[in-house]
Amino acid sequence: MAALQWRRLVDHIQSVPEGVYETNVPGTGYDNRTQFGRQFGEDGEPWCVMFNWDMYADVGLDHIVPKVNNVSVFTEWARTRDQWSDYPSIGAWTNLSQGGHTEVVVGFDETHVYTKGGNTVPENAEDAGQGYGVYSHSTERRSMKVVGYFAPEFEDGCPPTADPDDRRGGTAIASWRWAGPVLPRSDIEVTASEVVFGARNTSVRVVQGALAKEVGLDYAAAPGTFGPRTKAAVAAFQRKLGFTDGDADGVFGRFSLTELGHRQGFAVRGLSFFDHPAPPDGEVAGHSAIPLPSVKFDHVQDGSTTAAAKEACRILRVPETHWVPGILVAARRESSYRFNAVNDWDSNANGPKQSDGHPRNCSRGVMQVIPPTFASFHQPGTSKVIYDGVANICAAMNYVMARYGVYRDGTNLAGRVCQFDPNRGPCGY
């Protein structure tokens, strides 16, 4: 059983690094352009409400909140649905400064509400609540600045609330403060394909909790993210098991993962993941640019987009769960699943003609990748032919991870890139 929805949400919000996110244009200043605006689909506009929505979308809860970009609009939406409160609760959207700003509630006590939001400035900075980055704040609950709270209907129960009459069924408490990521006791399974370098998911959090007990891993700065620190902890655990030299490489194998589970009380599912041959050395770490002249334009035999997407996931060592459905949505929109598709009419259709008879920079292949992007995000070990289904998809995956901040496990793919989202219209990527 997974962690409660509100708990996953607040853990995720608190994992977003604080700092400047907007582009600073020389002579103009900050321009509202951020990864959060791109994810929402309205980059360049004030993005405090967009940040709230993005946080919900990242953990699969965007269906319980309205996709709007205005504080007054979500306030009215909440009021008409009896989802408005004068009291803070975890995950609630604040209406601050008479609709001038919003942040998400991540804690409260009897005197203050603690929030984190986007399009804002550091605590105590002078900017009337608007700004250029993601930061946390504390505000007195009785302050005239606080208008009220939109309290979404979580599907698995009421979050911690200060509302004595919370219509979601919760019992009011005096305070709740986030004390770091907590591994719910019910999270006792991990999926083998999800605990790979670069992944971000609940399975990684389970493993991190286990590694904290085994080798002292401190994962508070990146809960649920399999980064360099977690990889080093896996290597330390492997050495603890007696692995030596290159065998203690920080990459889970069948024995090291199941043994960690035996010692720390979680089960491992999907062990068949270890039965698939891994790509040769050097091909797992990620893309590696090739010179643009190395790109080839030979046509290929059409094939199965599903099979190509699954092979791309195997090569990149990422789970198929979110990637394959998203790729199929984008491929249908981009090329109607045609490996040899080419776009010779849009703004990219320029440059000298290549061997396929089309200008060099045309979008090509099942994912409609332009040659400079294919070259920059080429996956080692795959074909240099841009029409090759697997190579084309791998380059597209590497691109969206780098460009839009898509996690390696793909859990936020649809939220970050609408072209991969079946619930939103086509929008390019």
Side-chain angles (χ1 to χ4, degrees):
M1 181 178 178
L4 293 172
Q5 292 175 339
W6 66 265
R7 181 75 220 201
R8 289 192 291 114
L9 173 71
V10 73
D11 282 353
H12 172 62
I13 293 171
Q14 296 290 58
S15 74
V16 176
E18 296 192 20
V20 176
Y21 281 84
E22 290 187 24
T23 303
N24 194 349
V25 180
T28 302
Y30 293 104
D31 63 359
N32 277 325
R33 297 194 177 278
T34 67
Q35 66 194 60
F36 306 106
R38 290 194 295 272
Q39 175 179 350
F40 188 87
E42 296 184 16
D43 199 18
E45 300 294 329
W47 50 282
C48 62
V49 186
M50 299 182 197
F51 177 86
N52 293 3
W53 184 87
D54 289 348
M55 295 299 98
Y56 273 74
D58 285 349
V59 294
L61 294 175
D62 47 307
H63 61 287
I64 69 171
V65 293
K67 190 178 183 186
V68 297
N69 64 0
N70 183 280
V71 178
S72 297
V73 173
F74 82 64
T75 297
E76 182 60 25
W77 188 94
R79 289 185 187 278
T80 60
R81 289 164 174 77
D82 196 25
Q83 296 186 36
W84 187 254
S85 176
D86 294 327
Y87 299 86
S89 62
I90 300 305
W93 297 14
T94 55
N95 181 324
L96 299 170
S97 303
Q98 298 300 317
H101 185 56
T102 182
E103 298 186 5
V104 183
V105 176
V106 295
F108 60 85
D109 56 32
E110 293 182 335
T111 58
H112 288 81
V113 58
Y114 303 92
T115 59
K116 187 171 182 178
N119 204 178
T120 188
V121 295
E123 182 94 313
N124 299 320
E126 295 294 332
D127 195 73
Q130 294 297 307
Y132 41 71
V134 173
Y135 294 101
S136 298
H137 302 98
S138 62
T139 306
E140 290 188 10
R141 285 174 50 178
R142 293 178 177 82
S143 168
M144 293 296 292
K145 181 179 180 180
V146 180
V147 177
Y149 306 89
F150 159 40
E153 294 273 8
F154 292 98
E155 297 160 316
D156 55 2
C158 184
T161 179
D163 191 339
D165 298 308
D166 199 305
R167 84 281 171 205
R168 296 171 297 180
T171 300
I173 57 177
S175 66
W176 191 91
R177 295 297 305 277
W178 190 78
V182 175
L183 184 63
R185 293 178 62 86
S186 56
D187 284 350
I188 56 173
E189 289 188 334
V190 304
T191 300
S193 63
E194 293 183 347
V195 285
V196 295
F197 188 80
R200 180 178 183 142
N201 52 57
T202 302
S203 290
V204 174
R205 283 184 55 218
V206 175
V207 164
Q208 288 175 321
L211 290 170
K213 296 177 181 178
E214 287 288 334
V215 295
L217 169 64
D218 178 3
Y219 61 98
T225 299
F226 199 127
R229 186 172 293 183
T230 300
K231 184 175 181 178
V234 174
F237 177 66
Q238 290 170 328
R239 289 192 293 271
K240 186 175 181 179
L241 295 178
F243 290 35
T244 58
D245 301 325
D247 290 331
D249 57 3
V251 178
F252 276 121
R254 181 188 295 267
F255 173 71
S256 56
L257 183 57
T258 55
E259 180 61 21
L260 182 62
H262 290 154
R263 294 183 178 207
Q264 295 299 327
F266 64 81
V268 181
R269 58 185 177 184
L271 285 171
S272 60
F273 172 74
F274 296 115
D275 299 331
H276 300 303
D281 289 344
E283 294 184 14
V284 176
H287 65 274
S288 178
I290 60 174
L292 184 56
S294 298
V295 177
K296 299 180 180 179
F297 298 90
D298 305 325
H299 284 116
V300 300
Q301 182 176 352
D302 245 327
S304 164
T305 301
T306 300
K310 289 182 176 180
E311 177 63 9
C313 289
R314 186 196 71 80
I315 291 172
L316 270 64
R317 296 202 71 177
V318 298
E320 299 174 3
T321 309
H322 299 281
W323 278 110
V324 172
I327 289 167
L328 292 177
V329 171
R332 173 174 54 80
R333 292 170 169 175
E334 293 286 341
S335 67
S336 297
Y337 309 117
R338 294 177 294 127
F339 283 20
N340 295 300
V342 60
N343 182 334
D344 58 5
W345 55 265
D346 71 6
S347 60
N348 291 316
N350 56 65
K353 285 192 175 181
Q354 303 301 303
S355 60
D356 60 357
H358 300 286
R360 182 184 61 194
N361 294 324
C362 288
S363 304
R364 290 171 167 88
V366 66
M367 300 299 288
Q368 288 293 278
V369 179
I370 61 173
T373 297
F374 182 79
S376 295
F377 293 93
H378 182 262
Q379 180 67 27
T382 64
S383 173
K384 295 180 180 178
V385 176
I386 194 169
Y387 292 112
D388 180 86
V390 173
N392 194 275
I393 291 172
C394 282
M397 293 170 69
N398 286 327
Y399 170 72
V400 297
M401 284 189 280
R403 175 69 174 80
Y404 297 102
V406 173
Y407 306 146
R408 284 187 63 82
D409 65 359
T411 52
N412 66 339
L413 175 62
R416 294 282 185 184
V417 196
C418 66
Q419 188 72 331
F420 292 73
D421 184 355
N423 299 313
R424 290 188 281 170
C427 60
Y429 75 101

